[in-house]
Amino acid sequence: MTSDLDLDPVRRALTITADGVRPPADLTDRVRRGGRRRVRRRRAALAGTLAVLLAGGTAGVVQLARPPASAQLGGVAELLLDQPTRGDLADDRRWLSTVLATYRRTRDDSPLRGLGLTRRPAGEPHVTWAGSTPAGPAAAVVQRMWTDRHQPSVFIWFAGTDPAGRVEPVGADILAAPGRPAGWGSRAFLTGVDRSTLVVLDVGGDVQWSARRTYRADRVVRTDWRPVTFTDGAAVVRVPPQRDRYAVAVRDGAGAYLSLGNLTDPTVIPDDPGLGWRTPAGGGWPADRPARFPLAPRGALSLDTVLMFLGKGDAGQHEPAGGATGRDWTAYGRTGRGELFVAADVRFGGDPTRTVVYIQPLTSTDPRFGPVVTVYGDEVDRTAPLPVAVRLPDGRGWLVARKDATLSYLDHDGRWHPAGRNAALLPSTATRVRVDTTEVAL
Amino acid sequence: MSTHDEADSFDEFVRSRSTALLRSAYLLTTDRHAAEDLLQDVLERLYAKWQRARSAPDTYARKILVNRAVDRWRFRGRRPETPLGERTGTPALDHADHVVVRQTVLAALRTLPPRQRAAVVLRYLDDLSEAETAQIMGCSVGAVKSHTARGLTRLREQAQLGPADPPVLISPTAEPTRRTR
């Protein structure tokens, strides 16, 4: 047995050895950025699993590209479970009864069941809100569940009214139980034939909504945030139709995006296939993979670095693009100055696909947390001879791409130069591009 | 509890505890840069589960720290770790003898299997009880005693940290100090 007295030399030696070690000054900022990225990645992975359950992927992916929720919802579940039914239809027994009957009949249709989070009810369902909306009566139902891992969770189910006046399930989600955060925690949903009515449940705190994104050359922002007004348990807002182009967003008072419960909407928005460059063609998501176009010179550029860069746009300064970046194709290499760049398809919600280029300035020393220059291109047109043509800032040239095409460019001296296949970074002096045999002006 | 409160409490935890955690990470990895990477990894993971961890953040953090350090050791395929060379931190600010102690202790720690190393660091740098150490390492108190005893024996042998006075290496006038200068 070792006595404490005997251990003093060890303690002192260990203390001396570790003494003088100090964390970097920016540790807190770095950790918060990395932590947020980790949360988003985890949610995206969970969403990816859900996407498989959602009809082979294509229909569901657009929903999953929504900004993931960042807010912590620990007490929300308990609040929605415990409070009496709110809303102007709270006393309409017939409506409540119809809602609960539909809930019991369709609850297990939710793809969330496949995640093992909602298979064992741990209590009776409770209509937490029932109210009138411009799109007809709507409701939200919550029910305690045990997950397959014996952890408590709360299932939340949203319903509206279909054109025939019947209760229509429009989505579902998992609310985190206190101390056991899991799921996306939706407390808002879209209802109506064209999903043009937004309902946000009142759980305390301010909420704002936005109708559309604004694309700028270096960022994607929202400039039309406006507050919602809660009345009797919820806010009901008319929004532009979301059935074909999912663009609305909701955030809390701290600026964290809130999920919309239509993640499991049985009538999901049709997916935009983008340029359809995944390979092998027709392999079907997720069996196929994004096309990769490595461009010379690459230097010591690994695929890991490329993939890491695709997450940099989610650093919190811009609207997050979720898991939609680089889903179709990626080109990467170095600019004429030696800067690492990664180009890829990017899609925000149900908006059309665009191109994004991330450039790591030479002054950046930290591949994970250093600054990055972001450039957004226009919407891509898969039928165009050259669907990707993005001018990079400060004379860095043009990023052009078309899968399987032989590229060449015309310089300002009137001479054609070969530029390889699939994708190329052309000098800023290039004026035209030949895509196989078709010429395109830049 | 609002999101702001949670963010503030996490920031406060990082500010108040990161130095201690980094020191533990340093002894677990024996490499300054690896320790910083490890700490950042640990705190990012802690951030992701802060709502659950905030009731006992230090325990959570140390648990992740030890597990990740052991994983790292496995990932490296049990290869010998790199000597510190110039990467020991700020030797110019240290007493020369402390530099020698540091190099010797780090070299000795590198010879310890990861769980023995973790037990020694948790018990004698972090000053945790055997029960607390067992909780963090996810093993029994008996296992902690075993890891600690074996780790100490090996550490003493390697770093000449004898149980009897005088403690050779931490004496500024001790011979081993001069020998390695």
Side-chain angles (χ1 to χ4, degrees), chain A residues 268-331:
Chain A
V268 292
I269 302 163
D271 188 26
D272 177 355
L275 295 171
W277 286 354
R278 290 176 70 86
T279 184
W285 191 89
D288 53 7
R289 294 285 181 270
R292 306 274 188 222
F293 305 141
L295 305 180
R298 277 193 291 159
L301 183 55
S302 69
L303 186 58
D304 284 347
T305 309
V306 170
L307 296 178
M308 181 192 71
F309 253 69
L310 292 183
K312 289 188 71 110
D314 293 354
Q317 297 173 353
H318 314 299
E319 173 152 329
T325 310
R327 190 160 62 87
D328 195 30
W329 64 275
T330 301

Side-chain angles (χ1 to χ4, degrees), chain A residues 11 19 22 38 369, chain B residues 23 40-41 44 102 127:
Chain A
R11 289 187 202 281
D19 193 30
R22 297 276 187 277
R38 195 176 289 268
F369 304 110
Chain B
R23 290 177 181 181
Q40 181 157 338
D41 181 42
E44 285 179 5
R102 176 180 294 158
D127 223 13

Side-chain angles (χ1 to χ4, degrees), chain A residues 355 377-378 380 386-391 398-401 433 440-442:
Chain A
T355 302
D378 294 331
V380 297
L386 186 63
V388 175
V390 181
R391 182 196 282 275
W398 287 85
L399 186 285
V400 297
V433 179
V440 179
L442 288 175

Side-chain angles (χ1 to χ4, degrees), chain A residues 6-7 11-12 17-19 21-23 27-28 30-32 34-36 38 42 72 74 179 181 369, chain B residues 6 10-11 14 18-19 22-23 26 32 40-41 43-44 47-48 51-52 102 105 124 127 152 156 170:
Chain A
D6 294 339
L7 296 168
R11 289 187 202 281
R12 292 176 63 190
T17 303
D19 193 30
V21 178
R22 297 276 187 277
L27 178 69
T28 305
R30 287 163 54 172
V31 164
R32 287 179 63 79
R36 280 196 293 266
R38 195 176 289 268
R42 200 166 60 179
Q72 300 296 320
F369 304 110
Chain B
E6 290 185 349
F10 179 79
D11 288 357
V14 173
S18 56
T19 300
L22 181 61
R23 290 177 181 181
Y26 184 39
R32 173 68 181 271
Q40 181 157 338
D41 181 42
L43 293 176
E44 285 179 5
Y47 176 94
Q51 200 174 38
R52 192 183 341 176
R102 176 180 294 158
V105 169
Y124 302 116
D127 223 13
L152 281 175
R156 284 194 176 110
I170 57 173

Side-chain angles (χ1 to χ4, degrees), chain B residues 26-172:
Chain B
Y26 184 39
L27 296 192
L28 289 171
T29 61
T30 68
D31 180 284
R32 173 68 181 271
H33 294 278
E36 287 186 5
D37 283 349
L38 175 61
L39 176 63
Q40 181 157 338
D41 181 42
V42 167
L43 293 176
E44 285 179 5
R45 287 167 187 270
L46 192 70
Y47 176 94
K49 55 175 70 173
W50 183 245
Q51 200 174 38
R52 192 183 341 176
R54 58 182 302 172
S55 57
D58 216 53
T59 302
Y60 265 90
R62 291 194 186 283
K63 202 175 270 190
I64 302 170
L65 187 70
V66 169
N67 287 337
R68 297 298 297 165
V70 173
D71 288 347
R72 173 182 173 274
W73 184 82
R74 288 182 181 139
F75 177 76
R76 291 169 59 89
R78 297 164 169 76
R79 285 173 292 171
E81 286 158 289
T82 318
L84 290 180
E86 297 300 316
R87 308 202 302 170
T88 51
T90 53
L93 301 178
D94 290 334
H95 189 283
D97 299 309
H98 286 186
V99 176
V100 175
V101 172
R102 176 180 294 158
Q103 289 176 340
T104 308
V105 169
L106 290 173
L109 283 171
R110 283 186 205 113
T111 68
L112 266 56
R115 293 186 70 77
Q116 288 182 20
R117 197 187 298 182
V120 169
V121 170
L122 292 171
R123 292 282 286 118
Y124 302 116
L125 178 73
D126 300 330
D127 223 13
L128 301 184
S129 68
E130 288 173 337
E132 290 167 329
T133 304
Q135 185 192 5
I136 286 170
M137 293 182 63
C139 62
S140 66
V141 170
V144 168
K145 288 179 178 174
S146 170
H147 288 314
T148 307
R150 291 177 183 173
L152 281 175
T153 302
R154 202 156 173 177
L155 191 64
R156 284 194 176 110
E157 288 171 0
Q158 298 289 326
Q160 302 176 45
L161 296 170
D165 289 330
V168 179
L169 272 178
I170 57 173
S171 162

